[in-house]
């Protein structure tokens, strides 16, 4: 077993410094600005916040698995529903298929170092199912409640692995990730799925609350990759600082696992790392 794989199995996460060059990080941040500038706000913008399940149940969200979609911070609008600042600095994230639909994101997602990492971790049968560019802008960047990624990318057996790329330095001040070493040795609490009526709901497996007491801040430099076990509870706090904290995330699943047809995220053909 490789050293990386042993540490990943032990801790449930793996921090790899200098995984991407500054130029590679900048290429995604520059690309995001271009995508946003080409995006025209139509109708009601979608606000993303994991604690507000009902807000994420609209068609725009449910169709985003196969699209490049834009989600705003909940505090981005004034009482009249007008953006308080420019669209770029109002966004929470872009998702969820840039890694397949956009050449810049695809190149980042299928870099030589990603292929080597997938081999090191024994993920050679994995396919990329979802991507997000998370802005966590200065002052407005929202909280991400403690969660397990397998709740949102459920397979039988469980197989979800997350890759979190720091496009900028991530610190306690600007909302870095928090997780507990070994915290993945637990049960899956719930699963986010589609209902027959066209909405979404959580199916509860285990009501044991997440423990955050032993979580530590994963403060990392620009260019770092953090790999996350799908069972590892993790979170990030709001960014009230003056420094943005952009990150890109990828999630993979085993191509041999069963992907239920009522998972919230649905899309067609999936391509390997
Ligand atoms: Fe996550």
């Amino acid at each position: 077993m490789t050293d990386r794989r042993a540490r990943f199995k032990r801790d449930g996460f793996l921090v790899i410094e200098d995984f991407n060059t500054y130029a590679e990080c900048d290429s995604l941040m520059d690309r995001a600005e271009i995508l946003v500038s080409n995006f025209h706000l139509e109708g009601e913008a979608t606000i993303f916040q994991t604690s507000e399940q009902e807000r994420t149940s609209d068609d725009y969200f449910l169709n985003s698995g196969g699209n490049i979609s834009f989600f705003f911070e909940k505090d981005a609008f004034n009482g009249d529903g007008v953006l308080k600042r420019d669209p770029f600095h109002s966004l929470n994230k872009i998702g969820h298929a840039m890694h397949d639909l956009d050449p810049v994101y695809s190149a980042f997602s299928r870099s030589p170092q990603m292929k080597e990492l997938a081999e090191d971790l024994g993920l050679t049968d994995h396919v990329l199912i979802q991507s997000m560019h998370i802005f966590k802008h200065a002052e407005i960047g929202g909280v991400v409640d403690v969660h397990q990624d397998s709740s949102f990318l459920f397979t039988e057996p469980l197989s979800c692995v997350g890759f979190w790329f720091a496009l900028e330095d991530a610190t306690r001040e600007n909302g870095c990730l928090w997780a507990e070493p070994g915290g993945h040795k637990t049960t899956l609490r719930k699963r986010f799925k589609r209902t027959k009526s066209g909405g979404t709901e959580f199916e509860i497996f285990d009501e044991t609350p997440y423990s955050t007491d032993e979580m530590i801040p994963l403060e990392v430099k620009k260019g770092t990759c953090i790999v996350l076990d799908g069972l590892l509870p993790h979170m990030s706090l709001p960014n009230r600082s003056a420094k943005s904290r952009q990150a890109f995330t990828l999630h993979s699943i085993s191509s041999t696992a069963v992907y239920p047809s009522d998972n919230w995220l649905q899309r067609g053909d999936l391509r390997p790392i």
Side-chain angles (χ1 to χ4, degrees):
M1 187 183 295
T2 65
D3 176 55
R4 278 177 171 177
R5 191 172 180 183
R7 284 188 287 136
F8 183 55
K9 274 187 162 304
R10 181 192 68 196
D11 295 336
F13 64 85
L14 182 65
V15 177
I16 309 169
E17 295 178 343
D18 301 318
F19 188 79
N20 289 105
T21 65
Y22 275 30
E24 288 168 341
C25 295
D26 293 345
S27 74
L28 287 203
M29 292 193 287
D30 292 345
R31 187 64 182 160
E33 288 213 48
I34 291 170
L35 293 178
V36 175
S37 68
N38 292 335
F39 163 65
H40 299 288
L41 190 54
E42 290 173 10
E44 189 181 341
T46 291
I47 303 166
F48 184 81
Q49 195 182 33
T50 52
S51 58
E52 292 189 29
Q53 177 190 330
E54 65 281 1
R55 284 196 180 277
T56 65
S57 299
D58 59 22
D59 288 345
Y60 189 76
F61 177 71
L62 286 175
N63 289 331
S64 65
N67 292 328
I68 299 176
S69 301
F70 300 82
F71 300 92
F72 288 87
E73 293 286 357
K74 70 176 177 57
D75 296 330
F77 299 87
N78 67 20
D80 298 325
V82 177
L83 286 178
K84 292 189 267 190
R85 49 173 103 179
D86 66 275
F88 180 74
H89 290 99
S90 304
L91 283 169
N92 172 286
K93 68 174 181 177
I94 309 175
H96 290 100
M98 298 90 75
H99 62 287
D100 282 337
L101 300 178
D102 184 274
V104 177
Y105 283 95
S106 179
F108 188 100
S109 305
R110 298 180 172 90
S111 65
Q113 61 267 43
M114 269 301 287
K115 292 184 194 302
E116 183 185 352
L117 176 59
E119 283 187 18
D120 278 0
L121 298 180
L123 306 177
T124 48
D125 66 332
H126 270 226
V127 288
L128 292 176
I129 187 165
Q130 185 244 40
S131 54
M132 294 185 282
H133 188 125
I134 303 168
F135 293 104
K136 205 85 157 182
H137 284 302
E139 298 167 6
I140 195 175
V143 64
V144 176
D145 293 336
V146 57
H147 66 280
Q148 296 164 296
D149 289 343
S150 283
S151 292
F152 299 93
L153 295 163
F154 180 78
T155 60
E156 295 174 302
L158 298 176
S159 63
C160 174
V161 174
F163 303 87
W164 190 98
F165 305 91
L167 303 180
E168 298 180 292
D169 294 349
T171 65
R172 266 174 280 201
E173 285 67 39
N174 68 0
C176 68
L177 286 180
W178 290 70
E180 174 190 341
H184 62 307
K185 293 164 185 166
T186 188
T187 56
L188 184 65
R189 304 299 200 277
K190 57 189 178 183
R191 170 186 166 223
F192 192 55
K193 66 177 191 178
R194 297 181 182 224
T195 61
K196 289 194 174 68
S197 58
T200 54
E201 67 179 8
F202 279 108
E203 179 182 356
I204 306 297
F205 301 130
D206 181 347
E207 297 194 356
T208 309
Y210 292 118
S211 169
T212 58
D213 297 348
E214 306 297 322
M215 284 189 178
I216 58 171
L218 303 180
E219 296 189 293
V220 296
K221 292 282 183 200
K222 175 175 180 171
T224 300
C225 172
I226 302 177
V227 192
L228 299 162
D229 186 293
L231 276 175
L232 181 76
H234 57 284
M235 64 175 187
S236 67
L237 300 175
N239 182 7
R240 298 291 175 252
S241 80
K243 286 188 178 173
S244 73
R245 193 233 67 185
Q246 292 195 45
F248 178 61
T249 69
L250 285 168
H251 290 90
S252 71
I253 57 168
S254 169
S255 58
T256 63
V258 174
Y259 191 82
S261 59
D262 61 352
N263 273 4
W264 84 267
L265 184 144
Q266 295 294 328
R267 53 167 305 180
D269 291 345
L270 298 172
R271 292 162 49 197
I273 294 172

